[in-house]
Amino acid sequence: MTKPTKATITFDNDAKPIELPVLSGTLGNDVIDIRTLGKHGVFTYDPGFMSTAACQSSITFIDGEKGQLLYRGYPIEQLAEHCNFLEVSYLLMHGELPNTAQRIEFTKTIVNHTMLHDQLSNIFRGFRRDAHPMAVMIGVVGSLSAFYFDAMDVYNPQHRVISAHRLLAKIPTIAAWSYKYNLGQPFMQPKNSLNYAENFMYMMFAVPCEEYTPNPVLARAFEKILILHADHEQNASTSTVRLVGSSGANPFASVAAGIASLWGPAHGGANEATLKMLEEIGDVSRIGQFIKRAKDKSDSFRLMGFGHRVYRSMDPRAAIMQKTCYEVLNELGLHDDSIFKLAMELEKIALEDEYFVSRKLYPNVDFYSGIVMRAMGIPYSMFTAIFALARTAGWIAQWDEMNADPEHKIGRPRQLYTGEARREFVPIEKRT
Ligand code: SDX
């Protein structure tokens, strides 16, 4: 069937039909270009943007029916298998995998910007020790605009690259220090001799009084977690970064807003929520009652780590994460990890239940990621912080793409107004 180039909206009254262009991308659904619709006195209504493309992008593509995820056209399975995280970050930012010289140069640039301005450590100290690491990250990332304001002209491509490099380089240090601050342990300065994943583990787990060498199997597993979480089309937090950035806001403020959005349990907070749910279930014998609750519309409980706005089959990242679970648990001798066994039994039971099958609810990336991180000794409170660490690569690529797009405008959605029509002021003595 040939691709349409035009769509016509007809009304069931004598209003004139409206003709609109239909645009096609490289992959995925065609879109009806409704930019001129307002001139015809009508808007579209799509809370949650279930069927709305907010931008053009060439960074990431998800085929929800087939369960496929491509970063710049490369399948996530191949990138997770063959790349390191900085290679994937370079790919997201520049559109191509780096050659040897580019990889060396990019790695050197990032490694040489991992330290924080010394005064930034005072920002951490303004928080209570028991502050959630995500609260600290929102505050500290936002405050970067008060320290690195020498390259914040968002319309200057060179400034955008400098700020992107600073964010990518410093976010692991900020995330790790958010954890160290919780513990009351001294901040560990980054070590340039370590790779990105190893360096984060070092800053998280090392202490000044003894040597620490990251376990290479765990470091590689952690790096896969970062690659899997790096970008995911226009999800809630990425859309937040774009919307904030569309006003010309600097990259640090835009990414801080993205971290805030990611914190929600329906989004990036789901990995922490999944682990807490699995612990609450506790035993295979209790799975049935939680499945029942997840299906009960009068109960707000949902099966954490299950379902997705786009995937209508298994999230490809969940499958890779499940495999990584095996690798990490075997490396740590945790073959009988009860939580992992419980998770696999829960997945099996849910995928045989008509409610989940009919709604095409499958495990998403968060279903297994928490189990891997828990096994690695990462505290639950850091799960979403690590998601934010990884997604910073995608956020800066998407933010840069938006600023480079000559068509981009400040985001300003319209509404369906259901409030009072115009009425006159009522003096207080006349109010009932
Ligand atoms: C991430 O957007 C992204 O790309 C996000 C992400 C990324 O990388 O950026 O992939 C990361 O956020 C993954 C999702 C993590 N969240 C969770 O695991 C929380 C649990 N999942 C749900 O809250 C839910 O599935 C969402 C939020 C993920 C998706 O919700 P949608 O698209 O708004 O779907 P919906 O709420 O309209 O659900 C459709 C139906 C509803 O039932 P009916 O009204 O048809 O009877 O499915 C039901 C929902 O009640 N449903 C669930 C469910 N998820 C959906 N029922 C029980 N348990 C669930 N988990």
Side-chain angles (χ1 to χ4, degrees), residues 173 176-177 180 185-191 199 202-210 212:
T173 312
W177 287 16
K180 283 301 200 190
Q185 286 184 358
F187 296 141
M188 296 303 288
Q189 290 297 344
K191 247 179 150 178
N199 206 2
Y202 172 78
M203 292 188 282
M204 269 278 288
F205 297 120
V207 288
C209 33
E210 54 190 46
Y212 173 86

Side-chain angles (χ1 to χ4, degrees), residues 232 235 265-267 270 294 297 302-309 317 355 359 361 364 366 387 391:
H232 214 239
N235 57 85
H267 188 14
K297 292 305 167 198
R302 284 193 161 179
L303 215 51
M304 289 289 109
F306 254 77
H308 198 275
R309 171 61 56 77
R317 302 169 298 176
Y355 173 93
R359 289 168 180 78
L361 303 177
N364 58 50
D366 295 296
F387 195 151
R391 189 52 56 89

Side-chain angles (χ1 to χ4, degrees), residues 48 62 113 119-120 129 154 188 237 254 319 356 358 405 431:
I62 302 169
H113 284 83
Q119 267 185 262
L120 261 168
R129 284 285 180 185
V154 300
M188 296 303 288
S237 53
S254 302
F356 293 90
S358 63
D405 178 354
R431 293 172 207 161

